[in-house]
Amino acid sequence: MATRAEITSGLAEILEEVAGVNPDDVAEEKSFTDDLDVDSLSMVEVVVAAEEKFGVKIPDNEVQNLKTVGDAVTYIEANH
Amino acid sequence: MTGSRIVAMGHYQPSRVVTNDDLAMTLDTNDAWIRDRVGIAERRIADHAESVADMATIAAEKALAASGIAATDIDLVVVATCSAIDRCPNVAAEVSHRLGILAPGAFDINTACSGFSYALGNADNAIRAGASRNALVIGAEKLSDVIDWSDRTTAILFGDAAGAAVLTATADDEEHGVGPVIWGSAPEKGEALTIAGWRPYIKQNGQSVFRWATTALAPFALEACRRAGVDPSELAAFVPHQANTRIIDAIVKKLGVGPDTIVVKDLVESGNTSAASVPLALSKLIERREVPSGAPVLLFGFGGGLTYAGQVIRCP
C-alpha cells in the first residue's frame, strides 16, 4: 500500500513526463489547471499514466472531480 | 485473386479561409489556445449554397481526370459523409449523375470520421468479389452546416472539404494496392460524439474522445499493417484522421513508424473535415510527390460512432 507521499511523488513523475511540470512544484494543495498549467487533454494523459502506475481505474466522469493533486492522491489511495 | 489499387486522387476545398483569429472575433477563444490544444491554424468553410455533392463532384472530377479512366467505365460510386443534408437521392447518385457515370452501384456510408477507410474497404471488397471493376470512392463533408457556431468547444475544430480516389481491379499477378481493411467500433461510447436530433449539431465530450483515441486505437492501426504484411517502420507515410495533432502524436508514438515515415498533419491548414480528412490529406501528399509510386501508406480513420477503420495502400 503506497503512502500519500509516495503517490504524490509518483504523480510528480507522471506530470513531469506528460506535461513538463517541475516535480518541485507538485504538492497536494496544487490545482492541476490553475497552478500546474495542465490542460484538459494533458489531464487525460496524466490519468491514463496514473491508472497504469497505480493499478487503478479512473473513469471519464471521475476525471473532472480531480481538481487538485490531493484529490487525485485521495482517489488513488481509496481505489488502488 | 483479384484485388484493387488506387489509380489517382483528387480533392477540393472551399476558397474561404477562416483563421483562428477570425473565430476569436465572435467566440471566447484565441489562436494560441487552439494551436496548443488541437493544432489547427485555419480551416476552409463552404459558401452557403455549396453542398456536399458539389464538393464531392469537383474532387471526383479531378480524380477521374488524373486517372485516365472514363466516367462511363466507373461501375461503383461510394461516398463517405455524415453531413449531407439531402437523404435521397444520395450523394453517390448525385455525383454520378453530374459526372455522366452510367448506372453505377451508388451508395453513401456514414461512419463519420472513419468513413473514407470504410468506403475504400467496401469498394475494394466489391472489386475482390467481382461486383465492380472500376470504383470511385469519395469522402465529402460540409460540417459547417452541423456546427453550433456559438459553441467554442466544437466550432474551432471543423472544416469543409472533399477528397476522391479512383480504384481499379488489379490482375492476379499484380501487387494489390489496397490492403485488407481493419474496421470496428466502440458503440458503447457513442454518446461521446454526436450529431443528433432534428436540427443536429456536433456535440463532443473532448476528454472522452481524446482518451479513447490515444489509448485504444494504435493496436488496430498496427493490425492493418500486419494484415498488409508491412512493418510500421517501412511505411512511407502515415495518413491518420486529422482531428488533433496531440492524438496523432500519441498514436505515432505507439505505432513505431520509421524515422523517414511522413506523418501527415494537414489539419493545421484544413481543420477536421471528418470523412474528407484522410482522402484530402492523401490527395495533397500525392500531389506534392513526396511519396514514390508503390510505397506503402497507412490510412487510419477514427471518430463519431465511435468508429475506426484503416488499411495500408500503395501510393499511386
Side-chain angles (χ1 to χ4, degrees):
Chain A
M1 201 66 176
T3 64
R4 288 188 74 88
E6 283 164 351
I7 296 170
T8 304
S9 99
L11 283 172
E13 283 172 30
I14 291 171
L15 285 161
E16 183 179 22
E17 154 111 29
V18 169
V21 175
N22 182 344
D24 295 339
D25 293 342
V26 177
E28 286 208 24
E29 70 279 7
K30 292 288 177 71
S31 155
F32 288 109
T33 324
D34 301 335
D35 300 323
L36 303 178
D37 207 17
V38 177
D39 70 34
S40 62
L41 299 184
S42 293
M43 192 61 201
V44 172
E45 295 177 289
V46 169
V47 162
V48 169
E51 283 191 340
E52 222 164 272
K53 194 176 195 102
F54 300 109
V56 289
K57 280 269 161 246
I58 310 175
D60 285 353
N61 55 15
E62 196 61 48
V63 177
Q64 62 204 18
N65 299 329
L66 308 178
K67 307 278 188 217
T68 64
V69 174
D71 293 341
V73 173
T74 302
Y75 184 89
I76 291 164
E77 196 178 32
N79 291 279
H80 83 144
Chain B
M1 202 182 93
T2 304
S4 75
R5 66 184 168 88
I6 295 176
V7 186
M9 296 206 55
H11 64 272
Y12 170 77
Q13 290 184 279
S15 54
R16 186 178 155 214
V17 176
V18 175
T19 65
N20 293 342
D21 288 337
D22 292 335
L23 291 175
M25 291 195 284
T26 53
L27 287 170
D28 181 15
T29 189
N30 63 70
D31 181 56
W33 194 97
I34 298 171
R35 284 178 193 258
D36 185 48
R37 303 302 197 287
V38 193
I40 295 169
E42 59 187 45
R43 69 288 290 145
R44 301 296 186 98
I45 299 296
D47 281 345
H48 181 69
E50 208 165 21
S51 70
V52 170
D54 291 336
M55 294 190 284
T57 301
I58 300 170
E61 199 168 23
K62 289 181 183 171
L64 268 179
S67 75
I69 291 174
T72 46
D73 286 332
I74 298 290
D75 55 24
L76 176 66
V77 179
V78 186
V79 177
T81 185
C82 67
S83 57
I85 299 300
D86 297 340
R87 298 176 188 214
C88 193
N90 60 27
V91 178
E94 284 234 22
V95 170
S96 302
H97 179 58
R98 293 187 205 180
L99 295 181
I101 299 169
L102 305 172
F107 61 94
D108 294 358
I109 286 180
N110 174 6
T111 56
C113 305
S114 65
F116 184 76
S117 280
Y118 266 91
L120 184 61
N122 268 293
D124 176 57
N125 287 346
I127 290 172
R128 285 171 192 260
S132 167
R133 292 288 301 173
N134 298 307
L136 193 51
V137 181
I138 304 167
E141 301 280 13
K142 190 184 180 190
L143 296 170
S144 57
D145 275 345
V146 291
I147 289 169
D148 174 356
W149 287 101
S150 67
D151 178 0
R152 66 172 180 164
T153 68
T154 54
I156 60 167
L157 302 175
F158 300 99
D160 302 329
V166 174
L167 226 60
T168 195
T170 43
D172 294 351
D173 54 351
E174 219 179 321
E175 188 175 27
H176 301 330
V178 178
V181 65
I182 297 298
W183 59 28
S185 61
E188 74 283 0
K189 297 185 198 294
E191 285 302 308
L193 204 179
T194 60
I195 313 175
W198 287 107
R199 180 58 183 95
Y201 293 114
I202 298 172
K203 292 197 178 71
Q204 176 175 245
N205 180 331
Q207 280 187 320
S208 292
V209 176
F210 183 82
R211 182 170 183 168
W212 173 74
T214 54
T215 57
L217 296 179
F220 304 122
L222 272 170
E223 180 64 9
C225 293
R226 198 189 63 77
R227 293 284 303 279
V230 172
D231 190 272
S233 66
E234 300 163 0
L235 291 169
F238 175 39
V239 185
H241 171 50
Q242 303 288 305
N244 185 312
T245 46
R246 285 160 69 170
I247 292 176
I248 295 173
D249 291 342
I251 294 175
V252 164
K253 205 167 155 188
K254 292 182 181 174
L255 199 55
V257 301
D260 298 327
T261 304
I262 298 167
V263 176
V264 174
K265 292 181 179 173
D266 179 60
L267 79 168
V268 178
E269 60 182 48
S270 303
N272 176 349
T273 58
S274 190
S277 84
V278 168
L280 170 68
L282 178 60
S283 180
K284 287 181 179 177
L285 182 73
I286 293 167
E287 197 175 65
R288 291 195 299 267
R289 299 177 187 276
E290 283 174 12
V291 177
S293 178
V297 176
L298 172 63
L299 313 182
F300 195 78
F302 53 88
L306 301 173
T307 60
Y308 55 84
Q311 62 271 91
V312 174
I313 60 127
R314 296 281 163 178
C315 190

